[in-house]
Amino acid sequence: MTTLLQPGDPEPVGLLRSKAAAPIVLLGDHAGRAVPQSLGTLGLPDAELSRHIGWDIGIHGVSTRLSEALGAPYVFQRYSRLVIDCNRRPGHPQSLAPISDTTEVPGNLVVSDEARAAREREIFHPYQDAVAELLATRRARGLPTVVFAMHSCTDALRADGVHRPWEIGILADQDWRVGDALIEILREETPFTVGRNEPYVASALSDYTITTHAEGAGLPYAEIEIRQDLIATDRGQAEWATLCARLFPRAVERSGVLAG
């Protein structure tokens, strides 16, 4: 059996405030940009690994601050989405992306079934299992739960060069209770251009985490996309964490998902 991770490689899953009783739970599918030693750099220079194709720039800094401000559990994974995308179903064409926003990823061009299975077994499944275990534990404790999947997006794809006008996008598949409440509040109280399923569309065909653990389990949720140029610095991350800490609980309250 092929082994991917070696001594000295980071643990795939991080978990903050796992026992916290706050109703909001934060998830970070693309929080880190680590690459296992056994994969080198996937054949890419650091300039490529550090741009948006490698991770969700700035979102971990926002989410750690937000977790502290709300006293909310936060589950995140530390490896680059180019090693394996933890928000794509295994076998999805972008699970091990051979090309991402015009960049060819040499380490993903030819991957054996055994090597693919190792990435799934040692990174994807530990993260998804940690999310499932946290949510199951909360159900057993009788704790109400609203999931916020935290992501960031580039301000312009290299593929088309078109500037994205949305400072923040709110995504959902079928359950828009929390998402629409948050959009209303953002439009009422901020100057931002707010996307509804922009710049991406959430669905079971693309997103794995929310459709499996929230939509598929009947838990209210919203998926968040903050534009990366706004949270690339510590200052930007702190400002957005403060904003989210103020607005997320109000959106939950307005949605009525926890009433009764």
Side-chain angles (χ1 to χ4, degrees), residues 10-18 26-28 31 60 73-79 126-127 130-131 134:
E11 290 293 322
V13 184
L15 179 56
L16 300 179
R17 299 176 179 85
S18 62
L26 307 173
L27 305 180
H60 184 58
Y74 172 37
V75 188
F76 59 95
Q77 75 86 24
R78 296 184 169 98
Y79 282 91
Y127 170 67
V131 173
L134 174 66

Side-chain angles (χ1 to χ4, degrees), residues 205-241:
L205 297 177
S206 57
D207 296 71
Y208 181 88
T209 303
I210 58 166
T211 55
T212 299
H213 300 292
E215 184 93 56
L219 288 178
Y221 71 92
E223 184 167 336
I224 311 299
E225 293 276 358
I226 303 173
R227 213 173 64 201
Q228 289 168 354
D229 59 310
L230 305 176
I231 56 173
T233 65
D234 284 346
R235 178 177 177 177
Q237 292 161 24
E239 290 175 348
W240 275 86

Side-chain angles (χ1 to χ4, degrees), residues 94-117:
Q94 292 299 305
S95 172
L96 276 63
I99 299 175
S100 184
D101 192 22
T102 75
T103 294
E104 185 177 87
V105 185
N108 288 349
L109 294 179
V110 179
V111 181
S112 69
D113 290 344
E114 188 177 7
R116 178 184 293 271

Side-chain angles (χ1 to χ4, degrees), residues 3 7 11 24 32 52 59 130 184 187 211 247 256:
T3 299
E11 290 293 322
I24 288 176
H52 78 95
I59 202 62
E184 289 175 2
R187 288 176 176 170
T211 55
L247 298 189

Side-chain angles (χ1 to χ4, degrees), residues 2-256:
T2 297
T3 299
L4 176 67
L5 301 182
Q6 302 175 359
D9 282 327
E11 290 293 322
V13 184
L15 179 56
L16 300 179
R17 299 176 179 85
S18 62
K19 298 185 185 304
I24 288 176
V25 170
L26 307 173
L27 305 180
D29 298 332
H30 306 137
R33 49 161 295 195
V35 178
Q37 298 171 68
S38 62
L39 298 182
T41 64
L42 292 168
L44 294 173
D46 188 68
E48 291 291 335
L49 287 171
S50 62
R51 74 186 190 98
H52 78 95
I53 65 172
W55 62 323
D56 279 5
I57 296 167
I59 202 62
H60 184 58
V62 173
S63 300
T64 53
R65 290 170 171 86
L66 182 56
S67 171
E68 181 176 7
L70 296 178
Y74 172 37
V75 188
F76 59 95
Q77 75 86 24
R78 296 184 169 98
Y79 282 91
S80 172
R81 64 194 305 167
L82 295 178
V83 175
I84 186 166
D85 192 325
C86 284
N87 193 32
R88 298 290 181 266
R89 190 175 303 279
H92 187 281
Q94 292 299 305
S95 172
L96 276 63
I99 299 175
S100 184
D101 192 22
T102 75
T103 294
E104 185 177 87
V105 185
N108 288 349
L109 294 179
V110 179
V111 181
S112 69
D113 290 344
E114 188 177 7
R116 178 184 293 271
R119 297 194 202 186
E120 294 171 2
R121 183 179 61 251
E122 298 183 42
I123 297 176
F124 177 88
H125 288 299
Y127 170 67
Q128 294 295 340
D129 290 349
V131 173
E133 182 178 355
L134 174 66
L135 297 178
T137 298
R138 291 176 63 86
R139 283 193 295 271
R141 294 173 62 192
L143 296 176
T145 297
V146 181
V147 175
F148 283 81
M150 303 295 293
H151 293 261
S152 69
C153 58
T154 183
D155 62 328
L157 290 172
R158 183 182 288 175
D160 59 27
V162 176
H163 176 73
R164 289 171 167 171
W166 310 281
E167 285 89 352
I168 184 170
I170 310 303
L171 282 55
D173 187 3
Q174 301 298 314
D175 185 354
W176 276 96
R177 292 174 294 171
V178 175
D180 277 342
L182 182 54
I183 289 171
E184 289 175 2
I185 293 173
L186 282 163
R187 288 176 176 170
E188 290 168 1
E189 301 188 17
T190 75
F192 300 143
T193 300
V194 183
R196 187 181 192 271
N197 265 356
E198 296 283 1
Y200 305 111
V201 175
S203 78
L205 297 177
S206 57
D207 296 71
Y208 181 88
T209 303
I210 58 166
T211 55
T212 299
H213 300 292
E215 184 93 56
L219 288 178
Y221 71 92
E223 184 167 336
I224 311 299
E225 293 276 358
I226 303 173
R227 213 173 64 201
Q228 289 168 354
D229 59 310
L230 305 176
I231 56 173
T233 65
D234 284 346
R235 178 177 177 177
Q237 292 161 24
E239 290 175 348
W240 275 86
T242 298
L243 178 68
C244 292
R246 181 168 62 86
L247 298 189
F248 282 11
R250 291 178 54 204
V252 171
E253 182 179 10
R254 181 178 293 195
S255 72

